Amino acid sequence: MVFILDRQIIGGIVAAILTASILVGLCLAQNVPANFVFGDSLVDVGNNNYIVSLSKANYVPNGIDFGIPTGRFTNGRTIVDIIGKYLFSITLHKLLAVAILYKQMLIEYSFLFIKIFSPGQELGFKEFTPPYLAPTTSGSVVLKGVNYASGGGGILNQTGKIFVGRINMDAQLDNFANSRQDIISSIGHPAAQKLLGKAIFSITIGSNDFINNYLTPIISAAEQQLVTPEAFVGTMISRFRLQLRRLYNLGARKILVANVGPIGCIPYQRDVNPAAGDNCVSLANQLAQLFNAKLKSLIEDLSTDLQESKFVYADVYRIVEDILQNYISYGFENANYACCYVSGRFGGLIPCGPPSKVCEDRSKYVFWDPYHPSDATNVIIARRLMDVIIISGSGRAFCSGVDLTAAEDVFKGGVKDMDCRVRPGCPNEPLEGSRLQQGSKLLSLVIFWSPLKVPSS
């Protein structure tokens, strides 16, 4: 079926988008006093620099596009660096893409958007959230947030033993408890409780529990024979439940939890499992999907059980999967091979380090090294996560005192339809509802995806 949208409908839709965008953007910018980060090497910004560990990134060519090696396991910024700097941004080019389709209809709204938000305008923190173990992370610095993430860390305490030193989730929570006490000592208990209640807590962890625990070549062979994937994932979820409850009991209320990405597609997994050929490693991806399904249920349970808690489930798996399947449309030229490599068919056998070769154009590679995404990929993931939070209505979870009901109602059903249309084998059912609802769903497709994908029937 063909959508015929008149000026009034389009105007109403774009006005709703702008309303939701502006209100949530300003809310996040003004009402988020601190950003606390937990996780593994995907979001580590230098904690492992200060411990004895085989999992380090404070040497070249890591950080080649950051200026210097900082301990980040990528060529530039991590996902949380980008989200922290740009807590909210529906980028201008997406709105203009719609304006190309509906020129005169949207021009006044485009100018309104330009006036309020210039492209890339910073609404977040002026500085990157610092690593907990850095000597300079003290005093008033802690009041703006701390990064506790550690390369090699996992949900389970036995995860990452091959690296010797790493900070697993339980230890990261211990460190946060210390920071919390410092905050209380600095500003008093009531003010500290208020700050923590408004702060954003993000958690990106779980990959190492598979890659460097259950799936470790040779070392884990016996465990795989004795422990089923279901039992192992069950142990992870049980532990994670206790950890998330502890974080809540320490004062966290706004908690974003990222799921595990398609780890079977990283260069390392593909090189150590040559039988997969040109495909991703199915077992690793199946484990991630099993964990993610249980994690989503856990987040729903905690959201119901924990009073005043505001959890957001971040579906990183789906975002990265889409990037890998449509990498050319995202501007990449290589979705399989590590940009920083030494050996292996996919450059995934040896970690990135001084002996490594580096691709000429890092922006054309999805993966920086055998395990981690490039800065270019992190930018896409970060923006997509923020888009999902805003347009799906989850933005309300991180805002208080802002009524977004009218704007959010426009998008109800749009996210589901968008997901359906990009999944192979998903039934192409006609969109239901009024012309306004139809238009909103079409526009939600445009807002989410680049290049532009407009349904014609």
Side-chain angles (χ1 to χ4, degrees):
M1 62 189 256
V2 178
F3 291 108
I4 301 175
L5 305 175
D6 60 28
R7 181 185 181 92
Q8 184 178 6
I9 293 174
I10 288 291
I13 295 166
V14 177
I17 293 173
L18 290 172
T19 301
S21 303
I22 294 166
L23 289 177
V24 178
L26 292 175
C27 169
L28 290 176
Q30 296 173 2
N31 294 337
V32 178
N35 182 30
F36 295 95
V37 180
F38 303 81
D40 51 31
S41 58
L42 292 171
V43 291
D44 185 356
V45 295
N47 280 306
N48 279 22
N49 298 353
Y50 303 95
I51 64 176
V52 178
S53 176
L54 298 177
S55 179
K56 287 180 178 285
N58 57 340
Y59 44 71
V60 295
N62 293 295
I64 188 172
D65 296 309
F66 198 91
I68 58 171
T70 60
R72 290 169 170 82
F73 291 77
T74 185
N75 58 303
R77 299 159 295 174
T78 69
I79 296 170
V80 293
D81 288 329
I82 299 162
I83 290 179
K85 291 286 279 186
Y86 305 97
L87 274 175
F88 168 72
S89 175
I90 291 182
T91 56
L92 182 62
H93 81 273
K94 292 180 179 178
L95 185 62
L96 293 181
V98 183
I100 291 172
L101 291 179
Y102 308 100
K103 298 175 185 175
Q104 285 83 15
M105 296 180 186
L106 296 182
I107 194 68
E108 60 267 34
Y109 298 106
S110 298
F111 280 121
L112 174 62
F113 192 86
I114 293 170
K115 183 177 180 181
I116 297 174
F117 288 115
S118 60
Q121 180 178 350
E122 293 187 10
L123 295 176
F125 302 100
K126 293 182 179 180
E127 305 295 337
F128 294 121
T129 304
Y132 171 77
L133 292 179
T136 53
T137 306
S138 60
S140 61
V141 173
V142 179
L143 300 178
K144 296 179 180 180
V146 178
N147 186 311
Y148 304 91
S150 171
I155 294 171
L156 304 177
N157 288 320
Q158 65 266 33
T159 291
K161 289 190 296 184
I162 59 173
F163 300 120
V164 185
R166 76 280 185 210
I167 310 170
N168 286 320
M169 189 62 187
D170 282 326
Q172 291 182 37
L173 290 171
D174 290 340
N175 291 338
F176 169 66
N178 293 334
S179 296
R180 176 180 177 273
Q181 191 56 51
D182 291 340
I183 293 172
I184 292 173
S185 298
S186 175
I187 62 177
H189 192 276
Q193 188 174 16
K194 183 177 180 181
L195 182 147
L196 296 178
K198 288 186 175 183
I200 288 181
F201 293 77
S202 64
I203 307 169
T204 307
I205 204 164
S207 296
N208 284 316
D209 293 285
F210 298 117
I211 299 171
N212 295 304
N213 188 336
Y214 193 73
L215 294 177
T216 306
I218 303 175
I219 298 174
S220 66
E223 183 178 16
Q224 290 184 36
Q225 293 295 322
L226 297 173
V227 182
T228 66
E230 291 77 11
F232 184 80
V233 167
T235 301
M236 287 178 63
I237 291 296
S238 296
R239 191 70 202 171
F240 206 21
R241 182 187 299 273
L242 295 175
Q243 292 164 346
L244 292 175
R245 281 185 172 275
R246 183 185 177 196
L247 184 60
Y248 170 84
N249 290 333
L250 288 170
R253 291 297 179 268
K254 301 175 182 179
I255 305 170
L256 186 150
V257 183
N259 66 9
V260 173
I263 53 177
C265 299
I266 64 175
Y268 165 74
Q269 276 294 309
R270 299 180 75 166
D271 267 335
V272 298
N273 294 280
D278 293 330
N279 301 315
C280 296
V281 180
S282 58
L283 174 60
N285 280 350
Q286 288 167 7
L287 286 168
Q289 291 169 341
L290 178 62
F291 172 79
N292 292 343
K294 293 185 178 297
L295 175 63
K296 189 172 184 179
S297 296
L298 170 61
I299 296 304
E300 291 171 352
D301 291 344
L302 294 176
S303 297
T304 302
D305 295 344
L306 301 180
Q307 187 177 9
E308 296 183 355
S309 66
K310 299 168 184 177
F311 284 86
V312 171
Y313 174 82
D315 194 356
V316 174
Y317 188 103
R318 180 175 58 81
I319 295 173
V320 176
E321 182 180 51
D322 181 67
I323 294 172
L324 294 173
Q325 292 175 352
N326 302 286
Y327 67 94
I328 294 176
S329 67
Y330 282 99
F332 295 109
E333 296 177 357
N334 193 307
N336 304 325
Y337 205 90
C339 171
C340 182
Y341 65 97
V342 176
S343 64
R345 180 186 174 192
F346 299 99
L349 291 180
I350 298 177
C352 181
S356 301
K357 297 178 181 179
V358 178
C359 63
E360 186 174 343
D361 189 348
R362 274 85 64 184
S363 68
K364 300 300 182 183
Y365 279 68
V366 172
F367 293 103
W368 160 243
D369 66 6
Y371 311 92
H372 308 98
S374 64
D375 178 275
T377 305
N378 283 336
V379 168
I380 295 171
I381 296 171
R383 288 176 176 172
R384 288 281 301 279
L385 284 175
M386 295 311 298
D387 285 356
V388 169
I389 289 173
I390 299 302
I391 298 181
S392 69
S394 299
R396 178 188 292 192
F398 287 165
C399 296
S400 58
V402 179
D403 185 4
L404 301 175
T405 304
E408 288 171 3
D409 283 346
V410 176
F411 301 104
K412 285 184 177 179
V415 176
K416 181 177 180 181
D417 292 329
M418 180 274 293
D419 289 343
C420 182
R421 289 181 179 274
V422 299
R423 285 200 305 269
C426 188
N428 188 18
E429 299 176 354
L431 301 177
E432 303 290 340
S434 68
R435 296 172 70 208
L436 177 59
Q437 290 172 329
Q438 292 171 349
S440 73
K441 292 172 181 178
L442 169 61
L443 211 54
S444 72
L445 285 166
V446 174
I447 291 296
F448 265 97
W449 296 93
S450 180
L452 203 57
K453 299 180 181 179
V454 182
S456 58
S457 62

